[in-house]
Each structure stands twice: as structure tokens, then as C-alpha cells.
Amino acid sequence: MLNDNLTSDFLYDNLPGGFISYQPGGKILRVNETLSKWLCLSIEEIYQLNFRSILNKASGLYYSMVTDPLLNLQSTVNEISLTFKSSQGEFDALLNAVSYKDDQGNLFLINATVQKITDRKSYELALLLEKKHADEERRKFEFLSNTVPNQIWNIALDGECIYINKKVRDYFGEQPMSFYTDFGGIAAADRERCQSTWQRCLETGKRFEEEVRLIGVSKKEEWFFICIEPYLNRQGYIESWFGSGTNIHKQKTLQIANYSSFKLSLSSAKKTLDENRQLFINMALNHSHMVRKPLANALGLLQLLEDEDLPETSKHLFNMLQLSIQELDEMIKIASNPLRTQTN
Amino acid sequence: MKTTVTFRNNVKIMGEGTETLLFGHGFGCDQNTWRSVIPAFLKEYKIVVFDYVGAGGSDLTAYDDERYSSLDGYANDIIDICTELQLHDVTFIGHSVSSMIGVLAIKMEPQFFKKIVFIGPSPMYMNEEGYKGGIDAGDLDDLLDVMDSNYLGWSRMVAPLIMGNEEKPDLAEALTASFCATDPEISKKFARVTFMSDNRKDLSSLTIPSLTIQCEEDFLTSREVAEYIQQHTANNTLIMLETKGHCPHLSDPKGVVSAMKGFI
């Protein structure tokens, strides 16, 4: 049961939150004691002030530029973080406000609650510092990634592009993100191979490495070495993929040119060998005939000598001569045999 | 078919007249800031409203740090719009920082413009010896901190509105949804560019007639600043409104319409 002292005014003044009503121009119409205590001013003193003047400079600017126009266009704003001035310093608070319009649509009143959040603000400031630190680190990363001559990008697990550096944008021009996720910049001849390798990498978590031809704004195909590494978070899970593209066009074209040249040299060498071989065959054929003729004579003479009655001392020499001529005959037969195969 | 600039700057054209009024919003807002004054001009004028890149319904992907590192980048947005829409004899109405963006656009390509209206203008917001712009360097850092603090608040306020509000199905309220829907990071950059700019020397380049509409009590600018503009600009007329605040086109649209009609 309510005590008689617990009037609505008493309750209004002693609620654990600040209450304030003011006109659109900022003229303060009513304020409760809680807010009055936080501002370290009497209620009468507050009535002499403009709402913006109880905010610190930065909050006053923010209120004028953002909150005030919002209240003109919509009926409520919630949890606006502002800093109020008091005679004993400043305090941070969240402002929730409701605006009221008359029949002609003119704003005539704003009712607001002010919730002091000094302790929470300290925590929020710590978070903000962390955010600023993270923002700075991101800026440094972006600066670095735009400085290096490589194309750099970051891809989410689902294949969506998170970040591309300036080199990528310069190379491909303004393209929708789907252009990158669909391998749009890769030459048709290499695209299927890349998609297949990339799919395998996504499934296995292995690094992607390919030499591919890219087609940028110049419309010319250029060779790039593409390397995409999985980025593991502290828990050891893949969080995203970092990719880099290094232009290897000069080296690759040189390599291809060298390979062609080497192949040409090999062909030329083979041709020379074939020609030499043919020359040798022709020579061998010609010379085998020339060799066979005296050999045939020698064999004939051997046949004649065999029929002669030779002294015993000469028989030994005849046998040695016969063996040597037979060996020579055998050798010429062997040597001329493959030549015959070749000529046939 | 949407053309590049029309899409990039979310340009909207309305009205039954032939003479063009081109409205440029101020920092922290978008084209919806003009909704209370536009109806008064629809019968007699062609109205063109837009969002600077980074604000409202503009194409956020078109934001370029280098281009928008000075107010010239925003002035080029205006030139691009005039070029694409083949506008001429334009009366440009700029709120807050848009006033000086308009001056820069006229300096770049004067052939498009006939008159300019400043609402709550300032050629320089920073205080300097002999010039009281209103804020100190420390105030700007503090403002950026406040903006950071309200980053989550921004998301919470704007996101549900962007997604649609079933209780407010009408078009006017839907337009409100995108109001101030500026990307927080871009917004901070715009704030820095706005408050670090000094366009005092550019005022002397303005020769076409100009009108300054200034509120008696404006947290961001002042009568002194408005008088400075008048003293340093040829053909400038100053009208002081009794209303308070930095957005008289919202708090006192009748006063703004009356002042504008007397001028244009």
C-alpha cells in the first residue's frame, strides 16, 4: 500500500535514473532530482540552461548533427551515448528519448531518460581502445598489402572474398565480388584446373599453388604464380585463406621460349645424327664392297694354297693366316649386317 | 535505366517545374533531411535530391579514400550529377558543410549554377586567432570518440529501420528509414574532412547571388560566422531565423521555405 508521501512527484524525482523534458530548441521544461544531483545543479539552475549546454562540446555537436535531426524524423532514439557536464566534472550516460508532434506535425516536446554509465563506460572505453588498436593494425596491414608488388586477398571459408588489395583492383578494375569467387579473371584454358585444385584445397585444407594465366583490364593473358594458404586461428581451425599472386610472366615466357629452343636444338641434333648415320651407312656400304673385294681375293688365294703341298713349317703360318682372314670375314659380315637392315 | 552517377549518388528527381533546385544534405544526414521543405517547391520547380557517396542510399562501394579526402571530392559528386542530368541554371541549396561543397562546385564548373542557398553554413569550423569557427582541435577528437561510442547504437537504431518497420508502412516513413544511415567509418572520415576544411578564401570566388539562412542559436555555427560569410562574399544576403538548432529545415521548415522563396 502506498504511503501518502509517495506521490508521483516524489517517485519521479527519486527514480534511479535521470528524467528530463525539453523543447526542440533545447529549453528545459522539467527535470528530476536524480539528474539534478548528477549535474550538481539545483533544478532552478537547470531550468536556466539549454539542453545542449548540459552536454560537453563533442556530445553537443553529435546531438545537434545526428540525434536532433533523428528526433525530427522519427519518434524515438535509443541508447545514444553522450557525456554530460557537471560542476564536478563530466559523466557518461545513455539517452533514450521520445519526441512528440502537434496536429500540424510540428515537434513540440522531447521526453528523455538519462542513465549514468560511468563504470560501464570505462569498460566500453577499454573496448574502444582495443577496437582502435585493431583498426590501426588493419590499416597497417592494408598499407603493407598495397605496398608490396603482389596481389593480395583474403577469402572466407565459404569462398567469399573478404579483402582484396589495391594491386588486385588495379589489375582487374572495378569488378563485383562474384567475379573473384567465380574465377572470372583466370584464362579459360586454366580455369577448370584451378577450380578443381581449389575445391580440393577447400576439402583438404592444403595449400593451393598453381601457375595460371590471368586476364586483367589490359585484356592480355599474363602468367601469375598463385599461392593460397589456409589461415589457422588459435584453436587450430582454418579461419580464412590468404592468397597472393606474383607476376611471373617474364620468367614464364622466357622459360617457355627456352624450352622451345631446347626442343628445337634436340630436333636439330637428332636430324644431324640421322644425317650422319645415313652418311655412315652409305660410306659403310660403299666401303664394305671395297673391303670385301680384296677379302674375297684373299679367301680365294687361301683356297688355292690349301690345295698346295706346303712344307710343314709353312702350314703353321698358313693356318694362322686362314684364321685371321676368316676372323676378318666374320667381322665384316657383322659390321655390314645392320647396315643392310637400315638400307632395307 | 540507372546510370552510374544516378545510382552512385542515389539521385531522385521530382516536381513539375523546369527550373532546377538541387539539394545537398549536411554531415550526418542524407537526402531525407529535405522532406519537410520539398513539398513547397514541387509545383513550380524540378527538384533534385541525392546522397553524397558514403551517406544514405548511395553506393558505398564507390567510396574512395583519396577522392573524398577533401571537400573537392564531394563537390565533384555535384558536378557529376549536373553533367549527367544535363542541368543548367541550377539553384543549389546546401545544408551545413554542403554550403561550402556547393561553393567549391560553383568554383569548378560555374556554368551549371544560377544561385546558391546556404543553410547553417561555415567556411571553417575550427577556431583560429581572429576567427571563431566554434570548435577546437580537441573537440574534433572527442566528437570522433562520441561517434565511436555510438557505433553500436547506430547499428541498432538504423538496422531495424532499414529492414522495414511494419508499423510505419507509408513511403514517407520508409524514407526515414535510411536517414542518417551513413556507414560509421565513412561518417568519421567525412567528419574529419568537414571540420578540418578551410574554405574562407573560396568565398571571394563566388559571384552569383547567394543567400545565408542562419538560426539565432546554432550549436555548430553562429551569427558571427554568417556575418563573416556576408562580408567576404559578393551578392550575399543574410536571413536570421528565430528558431534554434542546426537544422532549421527540420525544426522550422516554413521559415526556411519563406526565406528561400523570397530569394529564388
Side-chain angles (χ1 to χ4, degrees):
Chain A
M1 190 175 168
L2 285 178
N3 185 301
D4 288 345
N5 293 330
L6 295 178
T7 60
S8 56
D9 281 349
F10 177 86
L11 292 172
Y12 174 79
D13 279 330
N14 291 282
L15 281 168
F19 281 81
I20 186 165
S21 302
Y22 53 95
Q23 290 178 339
K27 181 177 170 50
I28 296 170
L29 302 172
R30 193 163 179 195
V31 62
N32 75 343
E33 280 186 14
T34 307
L35 184 56
S36 152
K37 283 175 192 163
W38 288 345
L39 293 169
C40 303
L41 293 169
S42 70
I43 286 176
E44 287 67 32
E45 285 173 319
I46 295 171
Y47 286 161
Q48 306 304 312
L49 300 172
N50 184 290
F51 178 72
R52 286 167 192 78
S53 67
I54 61 174
L55 300 171
N56 79 352
K57 190 67 176 284
S59 291
L61 287 169
Y62 186 81
Y63 183 89
S64 297
M65 291 188 299
V66 179
T67 315
D68 195 22
L70 265 176
L71 282 168
N72 265 286
L73 290 171
Q74 61 187 57
S75 57
T76 59
V77 294
N78 290 315
E79 298 186 37
I80 305 293
S81 179
L82 299 171
T83 304
F84 287 77
K85 289 189 294 192
S86 88
S87 58
Q88 292 179 3
E90 296 181 338
F91 67 91
D92 298 303
L94 289 180
L95 179 96
N96 289 346
V98 180
S99 60
Y100 300 89
K101 289 181 177 174
D102 61 20
D103 294 342
Q104 278 75 48
N106 298 317
L107 189 65
F108 69 94
L109 176 69
I110 294 157
N111 277 336
T113 64
V114 178
Q115 195 58 52
K116 208 171 178 180
I117 53 161
T118 308
D119 293 336
R120 203 185 101 175
K121 189 74 181 179
S122 310
Y123 176 64
E124 191 182 304
L125 280 175
L127 285 178
L128 270 177
L129 278 176
E130 283 298 315
K131 181 179 171 293
K132 279 183 181 173
H133 180 68
D135 286 346
E136 192 54 34
E137 290 300 311
R138 182 181 49 78
R139 275 168 48 81
K140 281 181 187 169
F141 164 73
E142 285 184 7
F143 178 79
L144 180 68
S145 74
N146 286 331
T147 307
V148 295
N150 303 57
Q151 295 184 5
I152 305 279
W153 63 91
N154 187 210
I155 311 163
L157 285 186
D158 59 3
E160 278 296 306
C161 224
I162 300 169
Y163 168 78
I164 52 174
N165 75 343
K166 193 169 180 297
K167 296 287 186 300
V168 178
R169 288 197 299 275
D170 289 348
Y171 193 80
F172 291 110
E174 291 300 327
Q175 299 282 1
M177 276 301 169
S178 57
F179 172 83
Y180 300 98
T181 50
D182 294 345
F183 293 77
I186 296 174
D190 299 332
R191 200 174 298 156
E192 200 176 320
R193 171 169 55 91
C194 276
Q195 280 171 329
S196 158
T197 311
W198 175 236
Q199 193 54 44
R200 213 162 41 246
C201 291
L202 284 174
E203 286 163 9
T204 60
K206 297 270 171 62
R207 174 207 287 204
F208 174 101
E209 275 187 357
E210 285 283 348
E211 289 182 356
V212 299
R213 279 157 288 188
L214 301 185
I215 306 172
V217 285
S218 68
K219 305 285 181 200
K220 287 178 187 168
E221 288 186 1
E222 283 191 295
W223 282 98
F224 276 76
F225 175 66
I226 306 292
C227 179
I228 311 175
E229 290 262 9
Y231 173 72
L232 305 179
N233 62 17
R234 285 181 184 174
Q235 285 74 40
Y237 297 115
I238 297 176
E239 195 171 283
S240 63
W241 296 76
F242 276 93
S244 70
T246 308
N247 192 321
I248 54 164
H249 192 67
K250 276 186 186 170
Q251 298 91 315
K252 188 71 182 176
T253 44
L254 195 64
Q255 185 189 0
I256 291 168
N258 283 342
Y259 176 72
S260 303
S261 167
F262 179 63
K263 219 171 145 184
L264 202 67
S265 300
L266 278 179
S267 302
S268 170
K270 186 173 180 298
K271 192 181 170 193
T272 307
L273 280 173
D274 288 346
E275 285 170 0
N276 288 346
R277 188 177 177 81
Q278 191 58 47
L279 185 66
F280 172 72
I281 289 166
N282 293 339
M283 280 174 65
L285 283 172
N286 292 337
H287 286 93
S288 73
H289 178 69
M290 289 163 71
V291 170
R292 284 217 66 84
K293 188 181 170 188
L295 183 64
N297 289 341
L299 285 167
L301 288 170
L302 272 179
Q303 192 70 45
L304 291 173
L305 282 172
E306 200 174 9
D307 296 338
E308 294 293 322
D309 190 15
L310 295 171
E312 281 304 313
T313 51
S314 300
K315 274 186 182 172
H316 176 66
L317 291 171
F318 172 81
N319 288 337
M320 285 174 66
L321 179 64
Q322 190 179 36
L323 189 65
S324 295
I325 287 173
Q326 280 171 349
E327 280 178 358
L328 183 61
D329 181 39
E330 199 60 34
M331 212 168 73
I332 288 169
K333 278 179 183 166
I334 292 167
S336 63
N337 191 46
L339 299 180
R340 282 198 191 96
T341 311
Q342 288 286 337
T343 51
N344 291 340
Chain B
M1 183 183 164
K2 285 176 179 173
T3 51
T4 310
V5 176
T6 302
F7 175 70
R8 185 191 70 187
N9 289 97
N10 191 26
V11 177
K12 303 275 167 56
I13 304 165
M14 58 199 105
E16 296 165 24
T18 52
E19 199 172 327
T20 304
L21 300 184
L22 176 60
F23 288 83
H25 65 82
F27 168 79
C29 306
D30 68 13
Q31 59 183 266
N32 292 301
T33 196
W34 300 113
R35 58 187 260 190
S36 301
V37 296
I38 282 174
F41 300 99
L42 284 173
K43 281 257 182 235
E44 297 166 79
Y45 294 92
K46 174 180 175 181
I47 309 291
V48 180
V49 291
F50 67 97
D51 298 328
Y52 288 112
V53 170
S58 67
D59 178 11
L60 296 185
T61 62
Y63 186 83
D64 181 277
D65 275 337
E66 201 176 315
R67 175 178 166 114
Y68 298 107
S69 62
S70 76
L71 293 185
D72 285 342
Y74 294 96
N76 275 314
D77 276 10
I78 296 173
I79 299 297
D80 290 345
I81 292 165
C82 290
T83 306
E84 187 164 293
L85 300 183
Q86 298 181 326
L87 302 179
H88 55 86
D89 292 329
V90 171
T91 296
F92 181 80
I93 300 99
H95 171 230
S96 194
V97 66
S98 250
S99 303
M100 291 306 120
I101 293 172
V103 169
L104 292 173
I106 293 166
K107 192 177 173 183
M108 288 175 187
E109 302 285 350
Q111 72 276 13
F112 289 121
F113 303 95
K114 182 181 167 191
K115 290 180 179 178
I116 182 166
V117 178
F118 306 139
I119 301 176
S122 176
M124 186 167 88
Y125 293 93
M126 287 287 173
N127 291 327
E128 198 184 81
E129 201 175 332
Y131 177 85
K132 196 165 181 289
I135 67 169
D136 297 312
D139 296 332
L140 176 56
D141 289 335
D142 291 344
L143 172 65
L144 296 176
D145 284 343
V146 176
M147 291 171 77
D148 259 336
S149 297
N150 284 296
Y151 178 90
L152 288 175
W154 176 88
S155 309
R156 196 165 35 246
M157 268 193 301
V158 173
L161 291 167
I162 289 172
M163 286 186 285
N165 188 332
E166 288 175 6
E167 292 168 7
K168 301 171 182 175
D170 63 295
L171 179 63
E173 293 298 346
L175 282 172
T176 312
S178 68
F179 184 76
C180 297
T182 310
D183 178 276
E185 290 305 315
I186 295 175
S187 185
K188 278 166 61 180
K189 288 173 186 168
F190 191 18
R192 195 174 286 280
V193 170
T194 298
F195 292 112
M196 296 298 285
S197 63
D198 179 2
N199 300 101
R200 288 175 295 175
K201 285 181 182 170
D202 298 309
L203 292 174
S204 61
S205 70
L206 196 67
T207 52
I208 60 172
S210 61
L211 167 70
T212 300
I213 300 173
Q214 177 63 45
C215 295
E216 283 294 350
E217 279 186 42
D218 183 337
F219 200 78
L220 206 57
T221 60
S222 61
R223 174 189 278 270
E224 287 74 22
V225 170
E227 286 174 349
Y228 178 94
I229 290 172
Q230 193 177 30
Q231 287 158 14
H232 292 82
T233 311
N235 294 322
N236 180 261
T237 308
L238 171 60
I239 293 180
M240 296 297 298
L241 297 181
E242 285 183 7
T243 188
K244 294 169 183 174
H246 187 57
C247 303
H249 49 300
L250 285 168
S251 60
D252 184 14
K254 283 180 187 167
V256 170
V257 167
S258 168
M260 279 178 62
K261 283 197 166 172
F263 174 70
I264 59 176

